[in-house]
Amino acid sequence: PAAPGAAGKPEVPVEGGIAQEIAQLWQELLNIEAVGAHDRFFDVGGHSLLMPQVQSRLEARFGVTIPIVKLFEHPTVHALAGYIAGLLGGQISR
């Protein structure tokens, strides 16, 4: 069964291609079973030493430049997916 969100509330499912890929990356890096759309990276086990890995993998996957500060400004799967979608500007359909 999926784990509840970090605040103990039912997890908000991750929807959309970009968000699903971010969630999968977090799950792999953090060795956790599930990530909700509104779970914060640091609340589900992330730490600052992992940020460069998150950054490089997202940049390689989506072909965009993502300053580390943007990962802090968009700490949830949902927020980060929205930011990346904005960078892509409709270049790829998701």
Side-chain angles (χ1 to χ4, degrees), residues 13-92:
V14 174
E15 297 178 1
I18 294 172
Q20 287 174 342
E21 292 189 46
I22 294 168
Q24 182 178 2
L25 170 62
W26 287 13
Q27 288 168 205
E28 290 171 10
L29 285 176
L30 302 175
N31 195 29
I32 56 178
E33 287 186 30
V35 175
H38 298 291
D39 287 344
R40 299 170 68 87
F41 182 73
F42 292 104
D43 291 343
V44 294
H47 53 80
S48 60
L49 297 177
L50 286 176
M51 293 303 249
Q53 277 191 289
V54 172
Q55 176 192 35
S56 65
R57 290 188 189 191
L58 290 175
E59 288 181 342
R61 169 61 190 95
F62 294 108
V64 295
T65 299
I66 304 170
I68 288 266
V69 69
K70 294 300 181 183
L71 299 177
F72 287 97
E73 291 174 359
H74 305 281
T76 67
V77 170
H78 179 77
L80 188 54
Y83 172 74
I84 291 172
L87 290 177
L88 294 173
Q91 294 174 14
I92 59 175

